Amino acid sequence: MKSAAKAQQAEDSAETGAQQIRDAIREAIVERRLSPGTKLSESDVGNLFNVSRTLARAALQALSYEGLVSVEKNRGAFVAYPSPEEARQIFSARRLVEPGILREAAARITPDDIAHLRQLLLEEGRLMSERGQTARRAEIKASGDFHLTLALISGNSIMQRFMEELVARSSLVIALYGQSTASSCGHSEHGDIISAIEANELDRACQLMLHHIAHIEADLDLRERKSLGLKEAFEL
Amino acid sequence: MKSAAKAQQAEDSAETGAQQIRDAIREAIVERRLSPGTKLSESDVGNLFNVSRTLARAALQALSYEGLVSVEKNRGAFVAYPSPEEARQIFSARRLVEPGILREAAARITPDDIAHLRQLLLEEGRLMSERGQTARRAEIKASGDFHLTLALISGNSIMQRFMEELVARSSLVIALYGQSTASSCGHSEHGDIISAIEANELDRACQLMLHHIAHIEADLDLRERKSLGLKEAFEL
DNA sequence: GATGGCAATATTGTATACGATTTTCTGCAC
DNA sequence: GTGCAGAAAATCGTATACAATATTGCCATC
């Protein structure tokens, strides 16, 4: 075995149409090409991907289970527009689980895994220095990949899936409430965490992780804004 | 505010058909009326609930996202048959998140919440002394409700949903690999945890929770068995 | 009698059709 | 011009229909 990250489940390959659409939309949401609140009508989605409403609907349903889109009965699906309260819960959940994931990952980590993580870091750094939308989007993805890779290394596919959801939803939150232009969570902090793991200073690594998450959250301005409609603005 | 457990999201009421079916099947799985491996064909489910395959399919898809049923491409849906490895991961995840949830819950808990927990405990104890299938099923549910209520009290709806998944899947695991006739996880341990919370001995409460989970897991015989088909029995 | 392939059957994958609900537009009364 | 009622349009909720795939049974063949 070369790497603890080998766990990749085989999948039956040939995803069933709906899954492809789901993945495509999810990627668009995470990379912030789709803004929170954007309407995703079943017909439009179906036409866009040249499939029937049946599949479009299935994809949207799936995304709603992940909290990335919200479907309102008889009204349609929208890219999720997390409330400040939801945002707090998302980061609260991350503070709760990421140290634990880190500990498990550290227990199983191999030199190959560390090399992989450093590779990701390098890529992330490269993207940070570039300009342009596409670089920014790739950077967002790379930044999340660090956290996801740790979950992968931990070898627990359940926690891995959960982290995927949390990272994706975090992207939405940052899109809505992020202040600093530098959308990246502190890049250097990722490196520090790896170093701490490598030095086998587990407690310190966890502390760094907590600080890192706090750092991301501190960059948010969690106040109601960008009223999705006048409705929500006045009914609460 | 009377209780931190008030958070219950309002829901748009009138669940959309598919959700009702999903809930009904989930309950049947959690209460172990449906055994792991049982085939859930779309037509059968549809006929059973007097709806079209469309809704049956949607319900089954939803359950697959929760890990309670596994759908195999072009073959159908089956009540999930968690592997020993999956079982380990489920309990690993619980060990990882439940102490954290407990801590958050303890920080927000009100006297009303404690009363509610003790109420659950009482009910659980009553069911334990009863005989019969229905009592056993109610006991299973009550035992899980303790953990779910803690998540509810924590006020984090994301962790709450995650715990719902973990508890439900745990029920499947216990159904498959549980040894002791007493399907309940140590009932008294629940009481001890509440007491520790009440006494504000948070670290001890977490320790008790970890022991509690370990105790449940220790009652499992995690070896391959009851071959779902000949395939799985020989291909690994 | 065992084996391989073909037909029949059953089940899922996807598309289309129709009814229900919501939203939007229009026109009339005030 | 404002406001409300009703019609028209758009969109979702569900059912049905058809195509694709997998499973099963049968028969010819070796």
Side-chain angles (χ1 to χ4, degrees):
Chain A
M1 151 165 65
K2 287 205 61 172
S3 155
K6 57 142 188 35
Q8 296 274 31
Q9 67 271 34
E11 291 282 358
D12 228 42
S13 73
E15 291 183 321
T16 173
Q19 282 167 299
Q20 290 178 252
I21 297 170
R22 164 173 64 80
D23 293 342
I25 298 179
R26 173 170 41 210
E27 193 173 302
I29 293 178
V30 171
E31 291 183 5
R32 303 182 204 169
R33 301 199 302 274
L34 282 170
S35 302
T38 302
K39 167 141 197 180
L40 302 172
S41 93
E42 297 176 354
S43 314
D44 290 351
V45 172
N47 290 342
L48 187 57
F49 291 93
N50 288 106
V51 296
S52 72
R53 264 185 57 217
T54 306
L55 292 191
R57 184 185 180 81
L60 292 172
Q61 282 294 124
L63 288 168
S64 92
Y65 293 124
E66 303 178 26
L68 289 183
V69 317
S70 70
V71 302
E72 300 178 27
K73 192 175 156 76
N74 276 313
R75 285 194 17 96
F78 305 83
V79 178
Y81 195 101
S83 67
E85 175 59 20
E86 268 178 272
R88 273 183 280 266
Q89 292 187 359
I90 289 167
F91 283 97
S92 174
R94 290 187 64 165
R95 276 192 300 271
L96 204 156
V97 302
E98 294 217 52
I101 289 174
L102 194 155
R103 284 197 141 82
E104 292 212 6
R108 309 177 85 245
I109 206 164
T110 69
D112 280 315
D113 290 325
I114 290 181
H116 183 203
L117 282 171
R118 291 223 177 272
Q119 179 73 21
L120 280 178
L121 222 67
L122 227 65
E123 176 75 0
E124 196 183 342
R126 190 178 64 72
L127 288 163
M128 264 182 74
S129 63
E130 277 187 36
R131 296 264 168 242
Q133 282 276 314
T134 65
R136 197 86 319 143
R137 283 168 187 158
E139 182 195 345
I140 293 170
K141 192 180 184 60
S143 167
D145 276 348
F146 172 78
H147 297 264
L148 291 179
T149 301
L150 277 178
L152 178 66
I153 294 170
S154 82
N156 189 320
S157 59
I158 296 171
M159 295 309 304
Q160 189 187 338
R161 191 168 47 74
F162 189 45
M163 273 305 298
E164 270 163 19
E165 177 181 329
L166 288 177
V167 167
R169 295 179 74 171
S170 294
S171 181
L172 268 177
V173 169
I174 295 170
L176 269 178
Y177 303 108
Q179 301 188 94
S180 89
T181 55
S183 53
S184 79
C185 46
H187 164 69
S188 65
E189 298 178 359
H190 285 174
D192 296 342
I193 292 171
I194 298 179
S195 299
I197 294 175
E198 217 167 3
N200 224 355
E201 301 179 20
L202 215 41
D203 289 332
R204 193 166 70 86
C206 286
Q207 278 307 111
L208 285 171
M209 178 62 88
L210 286 174
H211 277 109
H212 174 49
I213 297 171
H215 202 261
I216 302 173
E217 203 175 358
D219 185 47
L220 304 177
D221 177 19
L222 289 180
R223 243 163 306 187
E224 304 282 356
R225 41 150 120 164
K226 283 186 191 169
S227 61
L228 170 53
L230 302 178
K231 278 192 279 188
E232 288 79 359
F234 288 97
E235 76 186 3
L236 235 266
Chain B
M1 154 166 61
K2 287 207 61 174
S3 154
K6 58 142 189 34
Q8 296 275 30
Q9 66 270 37
E11 291 283 0
D12 228 42
S13 73
E15 290 182 321
T16 174
Q19 282 168 298
Q20 289 178 250
I21 297 171
R22 163 174 63 80
D23 293 342
I25 297 179
R26 173 171 42 210
E27 193 174 300
I29 293 178
V30 170
E31 291 184 5
R32 302 179 204 170
R33 301 198 303 271
L34 281 170
S35 302
T38 303
K39 168 141 196 179
L40 301 172
S41 93
E42 298 177 354
S43 314
D44 291 350
V45 172
N47 291 341
L48 188 57
F49 291 93
N50 288 107
V51 295
S52 72
R53 264 184 58 217
T54 306
L55 292 191
R57 185 184 180 81
L60 292 171
Q61 283 294 126
L63 287 168
S64 92
Y65 293 122
E66 304 178 25
L68 290 183
V69 318
S70 71
V71 302
E72 299 177 30
K73 191 174 155 75
N74 276 315
R75 289 197 11 98
F78 305 84
V79 177
Y81 195 100
S83 69
E85 175 58 20
E86 269 177 272
R88 273 183 279 267
Q89 291 187 359
I90 288 167
F91 282 98
S92 174
R94 290 187 64 164
R95 274 192 301 272
L96 204 157
V97 302
E98 295 216 52
I101 289 174
L102 194 156
R103 284 197 143 81
E104 292 212 6
R108 310 176 85 245
I109 206 165
T110 68
D112 280 315
D113 289 326
I114 291 181
H116 184 205
L117 283 170
R118 291 225 177 270
Q119 179 73 21
L120 280 177
L121 221 69
L122 227 65
E123 176 76 359
E124 196 183 339
R126 189 178 65 72
L127 288 164
M128 264 183 74
S129 63
E130 276 187 36
R131 295 263 169 244
Q133 283 275 314
T134 65
R136 197 88 315 143
R137 282 168 187 157
E139 183 194 343
I140 293 170
K141 192 182 183 62
S143 169
D145 276 349
F146 172 78
H147 297 263
L148 292 181
T149 302
L150 278 179
L152 178 65
I153 293 171
S154 82
N156 190 320
S157 60
I158 296 171
M159 295 310 303
Q160 188 187 338
R161 189 168 48 74
F162 189 45
M163 273 304 299
E164 270 163 19
E165 177 180 329
L166 288 176
V167 167
R169 296 179 74 171
S170 294
S171 182
L172 267 177
V173 169
I174 295 171
L176 270 177
Y177 303 107
Q179 302 189 94
S180 90
T181 55
S183 53
S184 79
C185 44
H187 165 69
S188 64
E189 298 178 358
H190 286 174
D192 295 342
I193 291 171
I194 298 180
S195 299
I197 295 174
E198 218 168 3
N200 225 355
E201 300 179 21
L202 216 40
D203 288 333
R204 192 166 70 87
C206 286
Q207 278 308 112
L208 286 170
M209 178 63 87
L210 286 174
H211 276 109
H212 175 49
I213 297 171
H215 202 261
I216 303 174
E217 203 174 358
D219 184 47
L220 304 177
D221 178 19
L222 289 180
R223 242 162 309 187
E224 304 281 357
R225 43 152 118 163
K226 282 186 191 170
S227 62
L228 169 54
L230 302 177
K231 275 192 280 189
E232 287 81 358
F234 287 96
E235 77 187 1
L236 235 265

